[in-house]
């Protein structure tokens, strides 16, 4: 393989060095760009063309140089080229198919490059001709479909997917790519599914297929009925959904692994002290090469699957040992009935056949765990725009998951315990948790940990308000589920409480700077209402009676924060201003917290006075709390356990548009590179056949 | 069938059950058997022969067997006439066509001999000599005959005579008589039958084989059971002889699936037909069975499916096709169904999981791996597979993988799985249920919609707009989950939740009356502690002992919970089963113990002695693997003590109530009755290794001994511990109210009654053990005195007074036994078992 590559490289270099001597294929391209019908003099012109190795650069640059008037002139020839490309896809000779695919790539790209501003209709006209466009595209999609679904060469399939990716990403804004209208009509959804459901093809093309699907789903998502959305949402074939999950799983796992390697590398020996000192700075630099960007498409695919397809939720929890499912097929053994008895091997004990390669060190994992780990890495640093986008998308996905009842069921399943090693930002004031200390717990604990981790690590000047809101809402949704289902999760709620109180503290101390950009009262309201959930409904989901006491202890201990918050919101709500209403909501929400503080503080003080103790121990405070519940009256607040369901439109539409644009650019960039290396690969392929 | 009705003949119902409905031709085969001398294992043209076999099998049904029985009897009678005239009490007349046959009598049993038999089996010499022997003791013969003809002659006796009689005529007769016993009764002795087939001489083997082959043709499960047992009991033979042994040959024959049902054509058609419902092309609507896939689906689901089929017929079709292709369990209708393959695959994958688990170092890893492996297994279900330990016909539809637990064992990895099954009439012919995707349960679950309960109108509208594009034209979308589910909300759930705490939902709805609602913090706190106290005592989750929690949960509770979470839970024929999969353990001793326990249990039932024991089913798959039916609602004394940190008595008081309550007293009675039962068992079988991990306590107070790895002649590590007759700790005695209490006397009395009853039927117990000793290397048969020792422990020679004395001695000895305590200490030190 590498030899072939070298040879190919050599060949190309020599050919480019001898400039005056033009390749035959280039001459033929020139003919196409001449006025006349190239087949006029040579009836076998098209046959021959597709036998030539494609010169993508030349063809593309040629297309780009064509200007307005010439277009009219050569349009027939280009239409004809397109037509013959499509026809060549049906050829038996695979070289022709390969060349046709690549030529099509060049056509789509070249035409778009040239006519960035042109309307989609002009482009269609130029490529295929208006009157024939529908038929041409139908043929093209059908051919691609049969190539993708057939038993043909894998490189061919790969090239088909590249072509489709190329077509989907030729415009920056996918919704402006009018040609895709034909891809909507002539669906290749089934072909994509087939690739995903088959183990071997999934391994080779899964990534491309998933990215393609994610992009197609986003074509004119909000304006029209996109058949890919409809179809994706009703897929219920488990192998296929699993396949999709596996592709996402593998991509994210790969990233996690690379990140871990890098981290270990950085922390080795001498550096370790240095890293912990300038930790966050260093990490940000170190993993720059590990582009999060490449995974945006995969995350988008995950989001679409989770958001659109209810059946996909089960895939999230589909645990598998960290190896391909492919390795463990339960192959039927129909040997006995088909082969005559005499020839059956003396397998007295069928069960002794070892069938699986086994590595005891591999931990069982599932897509959700991998996703949580990935999210923990991505959310560490949100300064870079792509990272911010990824972090946002991760939180959106988690929001969808937290709203799904089936997902909640397995998140809280007491029998499904996992150790999830979330990545935590190295910070001066805390030690890096040793992996082994993490207990095996229901997955929801990992989600909560992740949220707590985010809350405590992102209190910065450039406040990611949007992410914070999502984060707090996710916690709220999980609490609602626990309350409804009476699930008493054994979680150290204290960590959450103190993180939330610290968040309030941060909001207070940065009030002025933050208010310039954000509505901090909304966030404060959500946080206070989380406390209200615990206060009024704690009986339904807290794990022990002690934890309820601890909640009061924590509130009383940090009463200053709540006092200050109350002062602040009271002040704002009494003034007239844009925040008046928002602030007054917080004042109302604080009623129970204040009642608690006002009730217990005097009690604690008098206890201290009576017993002549200056500093009460925690146990003593808890004792005071326990003995004074009965005289405290709380007000039942409205709608604490209700939440707004996630909806993509209209709130998130802009975000997704931008995200898809960024993905398109990235995919386009990578596809072009890949196609060229594909070229090399096909070189080898041509010598075989 | 003409009624010549010998007294020997079984009741009519018995005859009917095994015979295939097609009337069998009575013309006996013109013995082609001698012509096909080479054993079929070596002959390639199986196709031809198998046809022949299929035809032949027609003759092996109850009717023919009956006839053969009569003929043999006839023959014996004729011989008796030669000697002296017996006082025949039976009204038997010679069967019309039998006298000529009887003259050439010796050949008779061959008529129903399978042609696969080794040619030597046909050699008349042995039979002749047998006849000679018979002639010598005619008086004994007459007694035998009278016995065989009597109503008292049951399977147990038949097995015993088959084993003890040296006379081929008698053996052949009994071989034929087997056909007339009810299947279940013979099935109990299947290990004995097969062990005799493997290890005893030709005559016995020849007598047994027709019956076994006949049953194999009838039933897949019987076939597999035979194959497993044959493999297991052949394993003690020397490897060179094993390969050519009769047992191995028969096993191969069974596994080759040559033994298809007789009259296969006629039978197979409905079978293949019934496969159609789970062929890809049929939509759920065509599923004719009561188990139709969309049986209990909500209307919303139906619309969803309908819209789907409208929109994307092509994908759903192609994806279904794919599933079929990737699922080896789904037999396609074209091919002849492979009868045994699915079940063998199923068992094999369960064993494979056990093997792989054993390589993992920690319990936690094992548990995780187990769960993930099982979730993969789920992809292949439902299929035509079943749990052999179950008492009814069913298909396995799902393994709730998250419920599975790894059991405590040092180096092996036994595990417990729960298995959801759908009961059916006949697992061989009923159609396999259609797969329902995992997440379908959401339509029956109640929770998802709950967040919406208190939603305001706009909020709800907002949630609809989640999929704004489809509202207009695709109705299936608008009823996604919210609207529809509200109706389906099972009232039980809301009630059970909310009558505990009046607040959660009620207060929200009442909020519309604008008055602020006040609550006392004390109430919340009180409710919290009350609810925590109310919750049934559960064990704390311990990653090192994952099974404790799973086993503590009451079975009904678990069934309800799993049913709620299962996509198949709504089907009326849904059942939950559980099974322990053991890999790397020899369960043959366990099976032996099960048989003895079962036998004693029925003896005690017959004699109306209220001793309580719980034999749990054992499935031997090979000499080092098998399955065990778990005892539900029971945890080991070790787990009880470790988790509760209470003495046994205090634990029972905690679970059942004060000493004078009805609940406690009945638990105590159960405890005493089971204690007495197991004390006797332990004494008779010399059950050792009685540490607290091997004794379970069930929810009704019974104790149940498990793990019969050390019985009869074997004991662990030969340390000479556990010399006491059985385990009777002071804790046990405390539960019985102390050594002076009435219950303790009751305990001793029960033991006496139990021993007297067991003694009366000693032979039924001895026979089970004795036959299994044949050719066995099991440690429980180590040494030469196993049988003698066992027999002696029944103390046939003692009077009842003497027996009472003996019981007193045994009890006293066990109570005082230092070794019991010592042994527990030893276990605590070495295995951490309390």
């Amino acid at each position: 393989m590498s030899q072939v590559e070298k040879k190919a490289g050599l060949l190309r270099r020599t050919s480019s060095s001898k400039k005056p001597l033009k390749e035959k294929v280039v001459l033929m391209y020139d003919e196409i760009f001449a006025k006349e019908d190239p087949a006029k003099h040579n009836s076998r012109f098209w046959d021959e063309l597709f036998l030539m190795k494609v010169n993508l650069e030349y063809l593309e640059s040629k297309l780009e140089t064509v200007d307005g008037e010439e277009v009219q002139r050569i349009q027939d020839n280009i239409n004809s080229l397109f037509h013959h490309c499509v026809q060549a896809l049906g050829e038996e000779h695979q070289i022709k198919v390969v060349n046709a695919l690549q030529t099509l790539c060049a056509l789509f790209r070249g035409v778009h490059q040239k006519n960035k501003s042109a309307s989609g209709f002009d482009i269609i006209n130029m490529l295929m001709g208006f009157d024939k466009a529908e038929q041409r595209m139908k043929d093209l999609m059908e051919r691609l479909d049969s190539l993708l679904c057939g038993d043909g060469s894998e490189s061919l399939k790969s090239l088909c997917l590249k072509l489709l990716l190329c077509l989907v990403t030729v415009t920056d804004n996918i919704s402006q790519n009018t040609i895709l209208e034909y891809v909507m009509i002539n669906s290749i959804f089934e072909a994509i599914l087939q690739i995903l459901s088959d183990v071997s093809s999934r391994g080779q093309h899964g990534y491309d297929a998933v990215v393609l699907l994610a992009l197609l789903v986003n074509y004119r998502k909000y304006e029209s009925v996109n058949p890919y959305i409809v179809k994706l949402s009703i897929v219920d074939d488990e192998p296929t959904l699993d396949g999709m999950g596996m592709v996402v799983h593998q991509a994210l796992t790969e990233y996690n692994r690379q990140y871990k390697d890098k981290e270990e590398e950085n922390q080795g020996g001498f550096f370790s002290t240095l890293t912990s000192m300038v930790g966050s700075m260093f990490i940000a630099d170190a993993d720059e090469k590990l582009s999060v960007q490449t995974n945006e498409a995969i995350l988008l695919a995950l989001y679409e699957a989770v958001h659109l397809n209810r059946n996909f939720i089960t895939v999230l929890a589909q645990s598998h040992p960290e190896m391909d499912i492919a390795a463990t097929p339960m192959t039927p053994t129909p040997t006995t009935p088909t082969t005559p008895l005499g020839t059956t091997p003396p397998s007295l004990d069928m069960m002794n056949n070892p069938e699986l390669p086994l590595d005891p060190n591999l931990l069982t994992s599932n897509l959700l765990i991998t996703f949580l780990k990935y999210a923990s890495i991505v959310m560490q640093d949100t300064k870079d725009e792509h990272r911010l986008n990824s972090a946002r998308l991760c939180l959106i996905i988690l929001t969808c998951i937290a709203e799904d009842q089936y997902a909640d069921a397995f998140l809280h399943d007491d029998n499904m315990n996992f150790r999830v090693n979330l990545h935590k930002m190295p910070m001066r004031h805390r030690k890096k948790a040793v992996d082994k200390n993490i207990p095996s717990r229901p997955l929801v604990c990992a989600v909560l940990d992740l949220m707590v981790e985010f809350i405590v690590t992102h209190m910065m000047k450039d406040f990611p308000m949007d992410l914070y809101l999502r984060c707090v809402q996710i916690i709220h949704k999980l609490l609602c589920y626990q309350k409804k289902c009476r699930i008493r999760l054994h979680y150290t709620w204290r960590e959450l409480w103190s993180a939330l109180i610290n968040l309030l503290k941060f909001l207070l101390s940065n009030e002025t700077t933050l208010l310039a950009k954000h509505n901090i009262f909304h966030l404060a309201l959500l946080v206070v209402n989380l406390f209200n959930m615990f206060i009024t409904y704690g009986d339904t989901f807290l794990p022990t009676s002690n934890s309820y006491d601890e909640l009061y202890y924590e509130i009383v201990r940090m009463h200053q924060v709540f006092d200050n918050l109350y002062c602040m919101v009271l002040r704002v709500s009494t003034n007239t201003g844009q925040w008046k209403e928002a602030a007054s909501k917080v004042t109302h929400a604080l009623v129970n917290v204040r009642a608690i503080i006002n009730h217990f503080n005097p009690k604690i003080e008098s206890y201290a006075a009576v017993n002549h103790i200056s500093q009460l121990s925690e146990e003593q405070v808890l004792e005071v709390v326990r003995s004074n519940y009965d005289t405290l009256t709380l007000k039942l607040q409205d709608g604490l356990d209700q939440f707004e369901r996630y909806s993509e439109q209209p709130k998130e539409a802009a975000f997704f548009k931008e995200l898809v644009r960024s993905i398109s650019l990235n995919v386009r960039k990578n596809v072009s590179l890949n196609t060229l290396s594909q070229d090399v690969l096909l070189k080898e392929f041509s010598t075989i056949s | 069938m003409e009624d010549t009705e010998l007294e020997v003949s079984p009741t009519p119902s018995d005859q009917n059950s095994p015979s295939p409905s097609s009337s069998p031709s009575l013309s006996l085969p013109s013995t082609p058997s001698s012509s096909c001398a080479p054993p079929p294992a070596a002959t390639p043209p199986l196709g031809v022969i198998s046809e022949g076999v299929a035809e032949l099998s027609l003759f092996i049904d109850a009717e023919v067997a009956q006839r053969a029985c009569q003929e043999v009897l006839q023959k014996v009678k004729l011989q008796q006439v030669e000697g002296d005239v017996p006082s025949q009490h039976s009204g038997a007349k010679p069967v019309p066509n039998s006298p000529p046959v009887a003259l050439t009598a010796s050949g008779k049993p061959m008529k129903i001999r399978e042609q696969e038999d080794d040619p030597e089996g046909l050699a008349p010499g042995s039979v002749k000599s047998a006849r000679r022997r018979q002639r010598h003791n005619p008086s004994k013969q007459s007694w035998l005959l009278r016995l065989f003809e009597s109503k008292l002659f049951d399977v147990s006796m038949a097995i015993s005579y088959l084993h003890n009689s040296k006379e081929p005529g008698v053996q052949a007769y009994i071989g034929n008589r087997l056909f007339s016993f009810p299947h279940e009764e013979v099935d109990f002795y299947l290990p004995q039958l097969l062990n005799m087939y493997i290890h005893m001489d030709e005559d016995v083997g020849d007598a047994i084989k027709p019956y076994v082959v006949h049953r194999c043709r009838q039933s897949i499960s019987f076939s597999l059971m035979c194959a497993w047992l044959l493999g297991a009991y052949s394993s003690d033979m020397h490897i060179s002889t094993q390969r050519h042994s009769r047992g191995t040959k028969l096993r191969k024959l069974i596994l080759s699936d040559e033994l298809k049902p007789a009259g296969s054509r006629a039978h197979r058609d409905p079978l293949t037909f019934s496969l159609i419902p789970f062929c890809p092309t049929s939509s759920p609507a065509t599923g004719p069975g009561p188990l139709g896939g969309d049986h209990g689906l909500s209307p919303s689901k139906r619309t969803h499916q309908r819209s789907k089929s409208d929109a994307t017929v092509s994908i759903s079709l192609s994806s279904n096709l794919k599933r079929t292709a990737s699922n080896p369990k789904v037999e396609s209708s074209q091919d002849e169904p492979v009868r045994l393959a699915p079940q063998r695959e199923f068992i094999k994958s369960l064993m494979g999981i056990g093997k792989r688990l054993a390589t993992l170092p920690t319990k936690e890893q094992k548990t995780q791996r187990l769960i993930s492996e099982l979730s993969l297994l789920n992809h292949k279900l439902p299929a035509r597979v079943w749990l052999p330990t179950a008492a009814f016909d069913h298909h396995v539809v799902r393994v709730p993988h998250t419920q599975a637990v790894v059991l405590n064992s040092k180096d092996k990895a036994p595990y417990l799985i729960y298995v959801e099954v759908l009961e059916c009439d006949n697992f061989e012919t009923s159609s396999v249920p259609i797969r329902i995707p995992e997440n379908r349960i959401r339509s029956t679950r109640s929770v998802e919609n709950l967040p919406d309960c208190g939603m305001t109108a706009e909020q709800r509208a907002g949630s609809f707009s989640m999929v704004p594009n489809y509202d207009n034209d695709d109705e299936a979308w608008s009823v996604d989950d919210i609207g529809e589910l509200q109706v389906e909300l099972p009232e039980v759930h809301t009630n059970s939740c909310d009558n505990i705490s009046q607040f959660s939902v009620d207060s929200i709805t009442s909020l519309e009356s604008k008055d602020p609602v006040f609550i006392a913090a004390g109430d919340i706190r009180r409710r919290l502690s009350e609810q925590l106290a109310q919750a049934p005592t559960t064990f704390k989750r311990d990653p090192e002992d994952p099974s404790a929690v799973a086993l503590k949960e009451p079975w009904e509770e678990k069934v309800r919970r799993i049913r709620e979470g299962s996509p198949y839970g709504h089907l009326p024929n849904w059942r939950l089963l559980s099974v322990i999969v053991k890999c790397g353990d020899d369960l043959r001793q366990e099976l032996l113990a099960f048989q003895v326990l079962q036998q004693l249990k029925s003896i005690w039932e017959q004699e109306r002695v209220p001793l309580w024991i719980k034999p749990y089913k054992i499935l031997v798959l090979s000499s080092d693997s098998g399955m065990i039916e778990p005892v539900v609602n029971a945890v080991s004394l070790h787990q009880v003590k470790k988790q509760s940190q209470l003495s046994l008595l205090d634990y029972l008081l905690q679970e059942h109530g004060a000493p004078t309550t009805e609940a406690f007293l009945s638990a105590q009675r159960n405890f005493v009755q089971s204690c007495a039962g197991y004390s006797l068992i332990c004494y008779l079988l010399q059950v050792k290794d009685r540490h607290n991990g091997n004794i379970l306590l069930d929810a009704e107070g019974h104790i149940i001994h498990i793990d019969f790895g050390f019985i009869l002649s074997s004991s662990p590590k030969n340390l000479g511990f556990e010399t006491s007759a059985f385990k009777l700790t002071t804790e046990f005695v405390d539960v019985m109210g102390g050594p002076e209490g009435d219950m303790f006397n009751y305990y001793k009395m029960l033991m006496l009654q139990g021993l007297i009853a067991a003694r009366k039927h000693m032979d039924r117990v001895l026979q089970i053990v004795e036959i299994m000793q044949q050719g066995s290397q099991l440690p429980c048969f180590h040494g030469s005195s196993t049988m003698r020792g066992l027999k002696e422990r029944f103390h046939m020679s003692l009077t009842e007074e003497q027996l009472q004395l003996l019981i007193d001695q045994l009890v006293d000895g066990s109570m005082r036994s230092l070794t019991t305590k010592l042994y527990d200490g030893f276990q605590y030190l070495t295995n951490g078992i309390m």
Side-chain angles (χ1 to χ4, degrees), chain B residues 120-133 168 203 206:
Chain B
E120 308 91 75
L122 303 170
S126 60
V127 186
K128 226 175 251 164
S129 64
R131 190 166 39 151
R132 219 179 306 127
R133 264 184 273 128
D203 293 319
D206 292 344

Side-chain angles (χ1 to χ4, degrees), chain B residues 174-369:
Chain B
I174 292 173
N176 292 335
R177 258 313 283 277
L178 287 177
F179 286 89
S180 63
F181 293 117
H183 285 177
E184 314 78 65
E185 286 179 19
V186 183
D187 285 350
F188 178 75
Y189 290 100
L190 191 59
Q192 276 72 23
L193 271 181
L194 294 176
N195 204 45
M196 284 193 276
Y197 180 79
I198 296 166
H199 295 292
M200 285 176 72
D201 58 21
E202 294 290 341
D203 293 319
V204 178
D206 292 344
I208 296 169
K209 187 169 184 184
Y211 179 77
V212 172
V213 168
H214 169 70
R215 290 285 308 277
C216 281
R217 282 191 199 290
Q218 285 188 332
S219 151
I220 299 177
S221 67
F222 187 86
S223 302
L224 286 171
M225 198 69 77
C226 284
W228 290 326
L229 288 174
L230 284 169
Y233 289 110
S234 297
S235 66
D236 282 345
M237 300 170 96
H238 192 269
I239 192 77
S240 56
T241 47
Q242 185 185 335
R243 193 161 299 165
H244 305 289
S245 77
R246 227 177 344 193
T248 312
K249 279 180 191 158
L250 181 57
R251 182 172 183 274
K252 272 187 188 162
L253 176 74
I254 294 170
L255 290 182
S256 72
D257 212 2
E258 289 303 319
L259 301 179
K260 295 224 167 65
S264 45
R265 277 299 142 211
H267 278 263
R268 198 163 297 139
D269 276 350
L271 195 70
T272 44
F273 189 74
S274 69
L275 293 175
I276 291 170
F278 67 98
C279 288
T281 43
S282 65
S283 68
T286 59
L291 321 175
D294 60 345
H295 196 59
L297 294 183
S298 67
S300 77
K301 280 296 163 206
R302 284 202 202 104
T303 40
H304 195 72
Q305 289 205 330
R306 202 190 314 130
S307 68
K308 167 182 128 186
S309 58
D310 288 345
T312 56
V313 180
S314 57
I315 15 165
S316 60
L317 254 181
S318 64
S319 63
N320 275 337
L321 272 169
K322 255 176 278 155
R323 180 183 299 155
T324 328
S326 65
N327 185 350
K329 292 284 166 52
V330 180
E331 304 118 294
S332 72
S333 55
Q334 275 78 29
D335 302 327
E336 241 176 59
V338 190
R339 291 200 328 148
L340 310 177
Q343 177 73 358
R344 289 179 72 196
E345 274 304 315
F346 180 62
I347 299 289
K348 195 173 140 196
S349 25
L350 288 180
M351 289 305 146
I353 292 173
K355 284 227 172 67
R356 291 190 286 277
L357 290 186
T359 61
L360 298 173
T362 68
K363 278 245 169 62
E364 197 185 325
Q365 277 174 304
K366 285 180 187 177
T367 307
Q368 284 189 4
R369 179 62 178 253

Side-chain angles (χ1 to χ4, degrees), chain A residues 212-235:
Chain A
L212 178 64
L213 184 59
L215 286 169
L216 283 173
V217 163
N218 277 283
Y219 172 74
R220 292 169 65 81
K221 199 184 205 179
Y222 309 109
E223 294 103 64
S224 68
V225 177
N226 179 330
Y228 289 84
I229 295 181
V230 181
K231 284 176 179 177
L232 176 61
S233 62
I234 56 179
V235 177

